[in-house]
Amino acid sequence: MTNKKTLTMDKIVSLCKRRGFVFPGSEIYGGMANSWDYGPYGTELKNNIAKTWWKTFVQKRDDMIGLDSAIITNPKVWVASGHVAGFNDPLVDCKKCKIRHRGDKLLEGKIGVEETTKIKLEEIGAKMNELKIPCPDCGAVDWTDARKFNLLFETQIGVLADAKNIAYLRGETAQGIFINFKNILNTMRPKIPFGIAQVGKAFRNEITPGNFIFRTREFEQMEIEYFIEPPKKEKDWRGPFENWQNEIKRFFKEDLGLSDENMRWRRHDDNERSFYSKDTYDVEYNFPSLGWGELHGFAYRTDYDLSQHIKHSGADLTYVDEKGNKYVPHCIEPSFGLTRTLLAVLAEVYMEETIKDTNGKEEVRTVMKFKPELAPIKIAVFPLVKNKPELVAKARETYESLKPFYMCEFDDNGNIGKRYRRQDEIGTPYCITVDYDTLEKGDVTVRDRDTMKQDRVKIEELKSYFADKGLTIC
Ligand code: ATP
């Protein structure tokens, strides 16, 4: 059976490349550090995670609305949000090899997050020297003082490179929600409490990207801003805050299959929490090779964001309730990283199992035990052999009959054993084999990925067989 303790990031990276989940970026040009392209199965998996998220948090709820805002916005948005002045990481240089690092992350590795948050920017370099934290690249202990490094990704608009033309690629999807608040009120007339959700790319000029797709400069987020009436008492915001916590816990566990033992909720203390937030958590996942790392950010942000945009834009972003009360709503923000969640799902479902082959010889099979809803391919269809036209034709016919309802794949390469191994690594829950008996009796073998048990099923009963198994049409 799998030993999760021996699962390394390298194994995941290798499977992702080998099986078409994630490829190194710009490979034919010698690569581009820390850039990744999603291959056919990675794209399916990412879309399935985003679809599940959308279904849970938008489609199934009456109090949620979707949005898709622009990546490049008026730069004033990022001044108002505080990102231009405050979206900084502490950058330290190793004096020996000149490579730059995030001082806070290296300190966190030595003394933990809570102690690190107590250290001021100007003390970081000295503290790293005092604690003898070695440079991860050359091993020297010789750090400069830390300086602020802004993470916003600058770009130029138009043909002339000029300070006036500077814009930013969005550093988070959330600001697109706040700047559309008035549009949503005017068009949708939602009643408070309600939320706005969006999924999309975000960009950050990270000092130390790495750990595969955990930290990249271009990534995807799934964010929600949930607006509530300004609370009179703590219980007024604590209630919806806790409801969201429960929903998020349920989503990670039941919809994505992430186990409790790999997840923890870490509350920010007063040093770490933003001054405007009343309560903030990082939901962390125990990633292979990396250990606990943030998967999700969850905060009650008061009325900070809307108030900032009111101040900077002059727009009226107030809400008027049925009794005529006018106010600036407060908001709760659940912020998910789509690409980081995909990494957590890959780590969670990666299994190595020792099994016996048909001759009784032991072998190790790698199998990705995705929840069927997330699996890139739901059903693979094989002819027993590729050189018998009647078998190939029957297998194709079976494949064509299922394709409109499920993401299917037809495979006639190599022998059956190899095809099973490949589908196990892709995480396909069911494989159908069309054999000689099929031609006589009209039934096929359906093999279950997890139990490896095989059932004989009539071709015309396949759809109801999969429906009974709970496989949803998609
Ligand atoms: P970190 O502490 O890891 O830098 P953060 O606290 O800056 O993360 P948030 O601003 O709260 O992250 O963003 C919300 C979510 O977006 C994170 O929980 C994470 O899942 C995702 N995310 C943030 N930065 C990156 C990145 N560089 N690469 C991939 N995902 C990211």
Side-chain angles (χ1 to χ4, degrees):
M1 282 302 286
T2 331
N3 184 352
K4 281 280 166 195
K5 290 197 183 107
T6 61
L7 176 60
T8 60
M9 197 68 93
D10 285 348
K11 281 191 179 181
I12 296 178
V13 176
S14 153
L15 179 127
C16 281
K17 172 145 201 230
R18 186 167 78 242
R19 291 303 182 199
F21 281 91
V22 183
F23 302 127
S26 312
E27 220 180 354
I28 62 165
Y29 286 100
M32 161 98 176
N34 302 299
S35 121
W36 302 95
D37 294 333
Y38 288 79
Y41 299 126
T43 306
E44 288 297 330
L45 176 60
K46 184 150 64 67
N47 287 346
N48 290 344
I49 295 172
K51 249 193 287 177
T52 304
W53 184 86
W54 196 265
K55 192 164 185 183
T56 298
F57 294 118
V58 181
Q59 189 181 334
K60 285 187 179 171
R61 297 179 63 125
D62 291 333
D63 58 349
M64 292 290 300
I65 295 167
L67 180 77
D68 186 6
S69 69
I71 285 175
I72 305 170
T73 57
N74 187 319
K76 288 180 189 160
V77 171
W78 304 99
V79 175
S81 68
H83 285 78
V84 169
F87 196 37
N88 299 313
D89 278 341
L91 178 144
V92 286
D93 295 29
C94 167
K95 287 190 196 162
K96 187 160 171 239
C97 71
K98 314 284 182 227
I99 292 181
R100 293 167 163 184
H101 289 277
R102 259 182 80 171
D104 58 335
K105 289 288 160 198
L106 292 177
L107 276 168
E108 280 172 16
K110 182 87 177 179
I111 56 174
V113 181
E114 271 163 31
E115 286 306 306
T116 302
T117 52
K118 292 181 191 152
I119 300 169
K120 295 200 186 82
L121 178 84
E122 52 277 18
E123 297 163 358
I124 285 180
K127 193 76 187 170
M128 289 172 68
N129 287 323
E130 183 194 318
L131 293 170
K132 299 206 177 341
I133 296 177
C135 168
D137 291 283
C138 72
V141 181
D142 198 359
W143 298 105
T144 61
D145 284 343
R147 16 194 228 293
K148 283 185 187 171
F149 178 83
N150 192 282
L151 297 182
L152 280 178
F153 228 108
E154 259 183 38
T155 187
Q156 304 279 347
I157 294 195
V159 285
L160 290 179
D162 173 324
K164 277 191 296 195
N165 296 336
I166 282 182
Y168 305 102
L169 303 185
R170 65 182 177 202
E172 60 177 27
T173 56
Q175 293 307 318
I177 296 179
F178 295 119
I179 62 173
N180 277 289
F181 184 72
K182 198 173 156 64
N183 289 330
I184 296 281
L185 288 189
N186 290 345
T187 53
M188 308 303 289
R189 313 243 157 237
K191 291 217 169 51
I192 278 210
F194 73 91
I196 306 174
Q198 87 162 318
V199 179
K201 291 239 172 181
F203 303 82
R204 295 183 187 179
N205 212 352
E206 296 279 0
I207 300 167
T208 44
N211 287 309
F212 190 32
I213 53 172
F214 177 81
R215 187 179 301 287
T216 46
R217 295 195 170 105
E218 174 182 348
F219 56 98
E220 282 176 69
Q221 292 186 310
M222 308 183 285
E223 294 198 295
I224 292 167
E225 300 302 334
Y226 193 74
F227 298 98
I228 57 169
E229 205 180 317
K232 294 189 184 70
K233 296 197 179 111
E234 176 164 344
K235 73 170 180 29
D236 297 339
W237 64 266
R238 198 49 87 188
F241 189 85
E242 286 174 0
N243 288 345
W244 273 103
Q245 283 183 299
N246 292 335
E247 264 303 287
I248 292 162
K249 281 180 193 160
R250 200 206 56 74
F251 170 75
F252 280 128
K253 187 173 177 170
E254 291 173 27
D255 293 354
L256 301 189
L258 302 183
S259 56
D260 286 342
E261 76 223 37
N262 286 327
M263 307 274 301
R264 69 179 187 198
W265 285 64
R266 192 181 60 74
R267 192 178 202 171
H268 286 203
D269 66 11
D270 293 348
N271 291 311
E272 194 179 2
R273 201 176 54 245
S274 309
F275 69 90
Y276 48 77
S277 169
K278 287 263 167 66
D279 203 359
T280 300
Y281 285 85
D282 282 358
V283 182
E284 297 182 331
Y285 185 81
N286 196 4
F287 289 94
S289 304
L290 168 71
W292 293 101
E294 179 180 328
L295 175 63
H296 171 89
F298 181 70
Y300 165 40
R301 297 175 62 89
T302 63
D303 62 355
Y304 178 75
D305 305 272
L306 285 179
S307 297
Q308 283 294 103
H309 286 297
I310 292 170
K311 199 162 103 193
H312 286 257
S313 69
D316 179 7
L317 304 182
T318 51
Y319 173 87
V320 183
D321 71 15
E322 282 164 321
K323 293 184 199 136
N325 299 317
K326 191 172 171 179
Y327 54 79
V328 178
H330 284 221
C331 88
I332 293 166
E333 181 188 76
S335 174
F336 299 75
L338 172 54
T339 39
R340 223 177 251 187
T341 302
L342 184 143
L343 180 59
V345 169
L346 287 170
E348 183 78 34
V349 305
Y350 186 110
M351 311 274 164
E352 284 172 358
E353 292 177 351
T354 305
I355 54 165
K356 290 206 170 112
D357 70 9
T358 39
N359 303 320
K361 209 174 116 211
E362 284 199 340
E363 61 174 344
V364 175
R365 77 159 180 156
T366 301
V367 51
M368 302 297 280
K369 293 194 173 175
F370 294 116
K371 286 186 77 78
E373 299 76 31
L374 301 185
I377 302 294
K378 316 294 180 202
I379 302 166
V381 185
F382 317 143
L384 183 65
V385 288
K386 128 187 220 180
N387 56 1
K388 287 277 176 274
E390 325 82 275
L391 288 185
V392 175
K394 197 73 194 162
R396 277 246 162 240
E397 192 188 308
T398 309
Y399 164 71
E400 296 292 341
S401 72
L402 293 168
K403 214 164 63 144
F405 307 101
Y406 302 105
M407 195 71 197
C408 295
E409 190 170 277
F410 183 86
D411 189 1
D412 59 4
N413 276 311
N415 62 34
I416 287 283
K418 282 209 180 107
R419 292 180 212 158
Y420 281 153
R421 290 299 92 83
R422 178 165 178 276
Q423 294 300 334
D424 282 347
E425 291 199 354
I426 296 166
T428 305
Y430 299 103
C431 292
I432 294 176
T433 303
V434 170
D435 54 24
Y436 295 104
D437 281 350
T438 311
L439 300 179
E440 279 177 26
K441 297 185 194 147
D443 57 5
V444 291
T445 299
V446 182
R447 182 244 198 199
D448 180 295
R449 175 195 67 197
D450 299 345
T451 61
M452 295 193 292
K453 292 221 171 79
Q454 305 195 347
D455 286 337
R456 283 305 282 192
V457 182
K458 292 263 178 238
I459 292 176
E460 64 271 20
E461 286 167 12
L462 280 170
K463 263 181 253 145
S464 60
Y465 173 85
F466 290 124
D468 289 347
K469 295 271 178 193
L471 199 62
T472 40
I473 288 182
C474 48

